[in-house]
Amino acid sequence: MSLANRIEEIRCLCQYKLWNDLPSYGEDENVPQNIRRCYQLLDMTSRSFAVVIKELPNGIREAVMIFYLVLRGLDTVEDDMTLPLDKKLPILRDFYKTIEVEGWTFNESGPNEKDRQLLVEFDVVIKEYLNLSEGYRNVISNITKEMGDGMAYYASLAEKNDGFSVETIEDFNKYCHYVAGLVGIGLSRLFAQSKLEDPDLAHSQAISNSLGLFLQKVNIIRDYREDFDDNRHFWPREIWSKYTSSFGDLCLPDNSEKALECLSDMTANALTHATDALVYLSQLKTQEIFNFCAIPQVMAIATLAAVFRNPDVFQTNVKIRKGQAVQIILHSVNLKNVCDLFLRYTRDIHYKNTPKDPNFLKISIECGKIEQVSESLFPRRFREMYEKAYVSKLSEQKKGNGTQKAILNDEQKELYRKDLQKLGISILFVFFIILVCLAVIFYVFNIRIHWSDFKELNLF
Amino acid sequence: MPMNSVLVIGSGFLGGHIIRQLCERENLRIAAFDLFENEKLLHELHGQFTMYTGDLTKQGDIERVFEEFHPRVVIHTASPVHNLARDIYFEVNVDGTANIIKACQKFNVDALVYTSSAGVVFNGADLINVDESQPIPEVHMDAYNESKALAEKQVLEASSESLKTAALRVAGLFGPGDRQLVPGMLSVLKNGQTKFQLGDNLNLFDFTYIENAAYAHLLAMDNLLSSNPTANGQVFFITNGQVIYFWDFARAIWAHAGHVPPYIIKFPRPVGMLLATAAEWVCYFLKKEPGFTRFRVQFSCANRYFNIQKAEDVLKYHPIVDLEEGIRRTLAWMDTEKKH
């Protein structure tokens, strides 16, 4: 379902956290039993999200964890196909009250419901929720109410229509707001409440919503095939009806060009949120919160670059390469790097753009906006200065850390060597892929340059 | 409220659109001043404005019009086109503007809006998201931009309590009535040159659809006439607020005209400069005007985009027609022109 879709995007984080020693709150004897169990539940429901939450600083980490677990509980109820609607709807709508009821648990989830254990032990989550400060509780409660109402509305719709489809772009934005925008808004309010970030963040509702919409729209584009197979049509009819008379026909080989044009229209729609992501990130002050927010946003635009004009979208889930994911995780630590990464993927989209696509200009303008906002937030002349300062700082660190290198134990050296090998193999693989792609492109498109083309230059 | 009187100097591409927008307002006396009578515009607008003719470079011609019409506002858009002799630019843009300023002061005009150019800050180097704090270069790209910069300086220096002035630096004007930008791109199409690209197409450009530029002039006029004229003595960049890759703009126009190049041959900028230099040398010896010049290469590979935050803040300017719609309207107008 929706939350799972977003988490899927971040799951690759786990596999490549090779250089970081993650805090293991789930096993730490100094952590109170109840909190420890919450961390274990977090690991059970989403290892990838658990990783990023554990990186958050004290004072905000537990609040975000509880926020996540509460919404996951809500989502687990919503996702459960064994529950009749008349039982499901009141639970969804009243969930914000339920989390105030100490000792509440739910044992009626279907036997195959993946996260049923969370609801069986939900009293643990509630206890920690009630231990949070009033400010945090208010945020979580308000968001839970809105999301519960939204989920109830869409659950009714899906039941009535035996499937789910989105009609207008406005409906699309509304759906994404309930599913993901509210998470963005809630997180911003939690950050503001923590005092680690500007209190004004709590009032940046439109931009916080936009961050959530960006992630959700990218996932919806990427998951076309999977959702279609489940009879869920998240792409708005207002968009796809311009290119086909039936949503499913986008998969057909005969419609491949129309399908790509439709995909471009969806991409242009998602790209409208990218500049909001950059502006939002430029406002953050705390390193761990910056990382927490930046990594998914950069993943999103990288995924968008991967899906844009990619016919595979209509046959399977398209994901970014694991190497890209590692790079994004390691590099998304400051505004300069994030701007550089956004520009890199924006230019990937730009280079794939073609004037035979009716959305050519729309895409180009959205790319131009990202370029201009990126330039406003981190002008390239600053980038050059930053690069020099960074290099000199790095060389100083190397001198200072020279003695420490000897202290690394054999096990760590072995791990380091393996990591380097993997990196080398990844690089070679990428080069190989590039060469193969170039060869295929030249062969398939039969590209040749004739001398007559130069005559047409009218040099004289 | 007294009826405002607006004199638009120059009734061509930009001036014509300003007059059209002024005619949509009520309680306004409108006049145009140009070298020749614009019969087409008079006919189109059913004589809703008065047409005066004369030579901008002659003080007497200017003062005769001011004496007869008594403008409260003057919008000065007149300018020679590109690629003319240096003398013409300085006579019209510098001396002509000086004549207008004198007349405004003599006849107690309240406001003067001058059409400057974003090119006044361009000397061949990149202009990356620059705003109005960007200095005017010592050495200009060409005589046109040098003369526009001098004229702009005159206008801003003439600013006072009694005569309020503003200059609008417009960038890359295109739209119905366009004789240079879009027709130039269509001639590339006609010559079968669309498959060539200079540079890597990562340089960004600002273009401005003409109706947005005209609208900005009306906003500037309104500000200067208001009780709190915050635009007085100020200069503003005016664009469409939608930067675009240089070659994407051309390709969008060609695509709307029904053409997509089958493939692209890319010349890196240094190669382009070499070829242009060679072409210029050959044309020099052949006593021929070169079509492929170093300026064109430089222009095609440069970033040239602007931060219009000041216009948004002070003038409350927002483009009313977006880039894609602007292209569509321009090409529709050109189709109409062909039929006549």
Side-chain angles (χ1 to χ4, degrees):
Chain A
M1 193 34 200
S2 45
L3 270 177
N5 286 349
R6 274 184 287 115
I7 292 155
E8 164 76 10
E9 184 184 5
I10 304 173
R11 184 177 61 186
C12 53
L13 285 172
C14 279
Q15 310 175 50
Y16 289 90
K17 274 295 183 181
L18 299 171
W19 296 278
N20 284 32
D21 285 327
L22 271 183
S24 56
Y25 301 109
E27 288 80 41
D28 191 342
E29 296 295 330
N30 295 316
V31 175
Q33 167 66 35
N34 221 63
I35 295 182
R36 213 189 313 157
R37 186 56 186 159
C38 284
Y39 278 109
Q40 289 164 10
L41 288 169
L42 181 64
D43 284 329
M44 284 165 56
T45 55
S46 169
R47 181 160 290 279
S48 57
F49 218 96
V51 169
V52 294
I53 288 178
K54 288 174 183 175
E55 296 273 28
L56 289 171
N58 286 326
I60 184 73
R61 185 172 59 249
E62 259 100 55
V64 172
M65 172 173 67
I66 297 302
F67 182 47
Y68 172 79
L69 289 173
V70 166
L71 295 185
R72 191 48 178 255
L74 192 62
D75 190 51
T76 302
V77 173
E78 196 277 336
D79 214 31
D80 193 332
M81 291 303 146
T82 69
L83 286 174
L85 203 60
D86 60 341
K87 178 175 279 286
K88 183 184 287 189
L89 294 187
I91 297 174
L92 294 175
R93 289 203 182 100
D94 292 338
F95 208 73
Y96 74 102
K97 296 177 193 167
T98 300
I99 58 179
E100 308 280 345
V101 178
E102 201 162 346
W104 183 88
T105 59
F106 188 73
N107 296 280
E108 298 176 52
S109 298
N112 297 321
E113 187 57 40
K114 191 161 71 77
D115 296 317
R116 75 187 311 280
Q117 189 62 25
L118 171 63
L119 292 178
V120 168
E121 297 186 53
F122 209 73
D123 55 326
V124 174
V125 176
I126 291 174
K127 177 174 275 194
E128 287 314 310
Y129 166 79
L130 294 172
N131 278 340
L132 294 174
S133 69
E134 185 180 356
Y136 285 148
R137 293 207 309 276
N138 285 339
V139 172
I140 294 173
S141 179
N142 288 337
I143 297 296
T144 302
K145 180 183 190 308
E146 287 199 56
M147 189 172 281
D149 285 343
M151 284 188 173
Y153 171 77
Y154 288 111
S156 301
L157 227 57
E159 178 95 351
K160 190 173 71 176
N161 297 323
D162 189 32
F164 183 78
S165 64
V166 175
E167 292 297 316
T168 66
I169 291 171
E170 190 182 343
D171 291 339
F172 183 48
N173 286 333
K174 185 179 177 186
Y175 172 79
C176 291
H177 164 73
Y178 278 114
V179 164
L182 283 172
V183 178
I185 292 167
L187 286 171
S188 293
R189 292 181 186 168
L190 293 178
F191 297 153
Q193 195 67 228
S194 71
K195 304 290 197 291
L196 294 167
E197 293 295 346
D198 195 326
D200 280 345
L201 221 58
H203 309 299
S204 306
Q205 181 150 322
I207 196 170
S208 305
N209 184 57
S210 196
L211 265 71
L213 265 63
F214 188 42
L215 300 184
Q216 185 63 20
K217 289 183 175 183
V218 170
N219 281 323
I220 281 172
I221 293 169
R222 191 193 64 181
D223 293 342
Y224 167 89
R225 187 55 195 248
E226 177 183 310
D227 290 333
F228 173 70
D229 290 343
D230 290 340
N231 202 24
R232 294 179 302 205
H233 304 173
F234 291 121
W235 293 25
R237 179 187 295 270
E238 186 180 333
I239 288 181
W240 61 256
S241 63
K242 289 189 271 183
Y243 306 96
T244 180
S245 53
S246 168
F247 186 61
D249 287 353
L250 294 171
C251 307
L252 303 179
D254 289 351
N255 293 331
S256 62
E257 190 52 41
K258 284 292 178 186
L260 288 179
E261 289 170 9
C262 184
L263 177 52
S264 291
D265 212 331
M266 290 295 298
T267 302
N269 183 281
L271 273 178
T272 59
H273 303 287
T275 52
D276 286 332
L278 288 173
V279 172
Y280 183 92
L281 292 170
S282 73
Q283 293 166 14
L284 298 176
K285 300 185 180 75
T286 308
Q287 181 70 60
E288 294 91 342
I289 290 177
F290 182 91
N291 296 7
F292 179 84
C293 296
I295 289 169
Q297 299 296 320
V298 179
M299 295 283 195
I301 194 159
T303 301
L304 214 50
V307 302
F308 179 61
R309 289 198 68 84
N310 184 347
D312 291 345
V313 165
F314 300 101
Q315 311 304 331
T316 182
N317 276 18
V318 171
K319 297 178 187 177
I320 57 173
R321 301 181 301 274
K322 286 186 166 64
Q324 277 178 280
V326 172
Q327 188 176 44
I328 289 168
I329 293 161
L330 296 178
H331 283 248
S332 300
V333 294
N334 58 54
L335 189 60
K336 171 198 175 292
N337 286 0
V338 168
C339 285
D340 283 348
L341 287 163
F342 261 68
L343 287 178
R344 181 195 302 184
Y345 294 117
T346 297
R347 290 168 182 178
D348 283 351
I349 292 168
H350 163 51
Y351 278 140
K352 288 202 276 184
N353 203 12
T354 171
K356 69 184 177 184
D357 188 321
N359 300 291
F360 172 72
L361 191 55
K362 203 189 289 188
I363 293 282
S364 190
I365 287 167
E366 292 302 329
C367 292
K369 277 183 192 170
I370 294 168
E371 294 259 7
Q372 186 163 30
V373 169
S374 181
E375 184 64 33
S376 297
L377 297 177
F378 209 98
R380 63 187 78 183
R381 63 180 185 279
F382 288 1
R383 229 164 273 183
E384 287 151 18
M385 290 162 56
Y386 187 95
E387 209 70 58
K388 289 175 184 173
Y390 184 73
V391 167
S392 63
K393 183 184 175 186
L394 205 63
S395 60
E396 279 179 14
Q397 276 182 354
K398 281 181 178 176
K399 290 175 184 174
N401 292 341
T403 53
Q404 290 181 30
K405 277 189 177 179
I407 300 170
L408 290 177
N409 61 41
D410 289 341
E411 187 185 344
Q412 284 170 324
K413 282 180 181 176
E414 184 62 24
L415 280 177
Y416 184 69
R417 199 175 306 116
K418 282 183 180 176
D419 296 342
L420 283 184
Q421 282 174 8
K422 287 180 180 176
L423 184 61
I425 290 167
S426 294
I427 290 170
L428 289 177
F429 185 70
V430 168
F431 274 121
F432 177 72
I433 292 295
I434 289 170
L435 288 174
V436 169
C437 286
L438 284 175
V440 169
I441 286 167
F442 272 83
Y443 178 76
V444 167
F445 290 99
N446 201 24
I447 292 175
R448 289 189 305 270
I449 298 172
H450 299 289
W451 281 111
S452 58
D453 291 333
F454 287 92
K455 290 180 181 176
E456 292 172 4
L457 261 179
N458 287 358
L459 287 169
F460 308 113
Chain B
M1 179 178 177
M3 177 177 277
N4 279 333
S5 47
V6 185
L7 173 65
V8 180
I9 301 183
S11 66
F13 185 33
L14 175 57
H17 279 278
I18 290 172
I19 292 165
R20 285 184 188 91
Q21 288 185 19
L22 287 170
C23 285
E24 290 171 22
R25 295 188 170 192
E26 293 173 3
N27 211 38
L28 212 56
R29 284 174 56 232
I30 305 160
F33 176 89
D34 214 328
L35 214 51
F36 307 107
E37 192 159 287
N38 192 331
E39 289 180 17
K40 191 173 183 180
L41 193 61
L42 277 165
H43 184 259
E44 177 191 330
L45 297 173
H46 311 296
Q48 288 183 73
F49 68 97
T50 308
M51 186 83 222
Y52 295 98
T53 58
D55 187 344
L56 198 53
T57 62
K58 294 186 170 71
Q59 185 75 45
D61 286 8
I62 295 287
E63 292 195 2
R64 171 174 51 80
V65 174
F66 275 61
E67 191 159 18
E68 186 173 331
F69 184 70
H70 288 293
R72 189 181 175 208
V73 181
V74 173
I75 300 178
H76 173 18
T77 72
S79 182
V81 296
H82 285 276
N83 298 323
L84 298 179
R86 179 183 179 88
D87 287 359
I88 295 177
Y89 292 126
F90 281 86
E91 278 176 29
V92 178
N93 286 343
V94 181
D95 297 342
T97 301
N99 289 344
I100 291 167
I101 292 169
K102 277 182 219 150
C104 287
Q105 289 163 344
K106 180 174 177 181
F107 290 91
N108 297 315
V109 169
D110 286 332
L112 168 63
V113 179
Y114 173 66
T115 309
S116 182
S117 167
V120 298
V121 296
F122 185 58
N123 64 353
D126 281 336
L127 294 173
I128 295 171
N129 208 35
V130 306
D131 61 14
E132 291 79 1
S133 63
Q134 176 80 5
I136 291 177
E138 294 290 328
V139 178
H140 286 270
M141 196 76 204
D142 55 30
Y144 173 85
N145 286 310
E146 185 179 356
S147 66
K148 292 295 276 190
L150 286 173
E152 180 190 279
K153 189 163 177 279
Q154 287 182 87
V155 168
L156 298 179
E157 285 176 348
S159 162
S160 67
E161 283 296 308
S162 54
L163 173 61
K164 302 173 184 67
T165 69
L168 305 187
R169 294 172 175 169
V170 295
L173 293 180
F174 76 99
D178 180 3
R179 304 288 175 190
Q180 298 187 74
L181 199 147
V182 173
M185 288 177 178
L186 289 178
S187 75
V188 171
L189 171 55
K190 218 163 298 171
N191 296 336
Q193 298 164 326
T194 58
K195 61 176 76 74
F196 298 107
Q197 172 183 301
L198 294 164
D200 52 16
N201 195 23
L202 284 183
N203 54 311
L204 293 151
F205 252 72
D206 258 317
F207 297 96
T208 313
Y209 180 63
I210 191 66
E211 289 181 44
N212 294 325
Y215 174 61
H217 282 72
L218 269 57
L219 291 177
M221 175 184 82
D222 292 341
N223 181 291
L224 295 181
L225 292 179
S226 72
S227 56
N228 182 27
T230 48
N232 190 13
Q234 300 296 315
V235 65
F236 303 92
F237 283 110
I238 301 295
T239 72
N240 235 73
Q242 292 170 300
V243 303
I244 187 170
Y245 301 101
F246 180 82
W247 294 100
D248 278 11
F249 184 77
R251 286 177 192 144
I253 288 171
W254 300 331
H256 274 84
H259 170 78
V260 175
Y263 54 89
I264 304 292
I265 301 170
K266 296 173 188 179
F267 288 96
R269 184 192 148 108
V271 172
M273 290 295 272
L274 270 177
L275 291 173
T277 305
E280 285 176 344
W281 273 99
V282 172
C283 288
Y284 174 79
F285 286 115
L286 293 180
K287 302 282 193 283
K288 202 178 158 190
E289 188 65 32
F292 189 57
T293 64
R294 280 170 296 168
F295 171 77
R296 289 238 174 117
V297 175
Q298 206 159 11
F299 191 80
S300 303
C301 297
N303 283 283
R304 219 175 113 114
Y305 67 101
F306 307 96
N307 180 344
I308 59 170
Q309 191 66 50
K310 185 178 174 185
E312 288 172 5
D313 291 342
V314 179
L315 302 180
K316 304 293 180 272
Y317 167 75
H318 294 284
I320 53 182
V321 178
D322 77 13
L323 207 62
E324 183 147 33
E325 176 62 17
I327 289 173
R328 198 191 63 74
R329 291 189 192 185
T330 307
L331 294 175
W333 167 78
M334 295 183 83
D335 287 344
T336 307
E337 288 291 293
K338 281 179 193 172
K339 293 168 185 172
H340 296 340

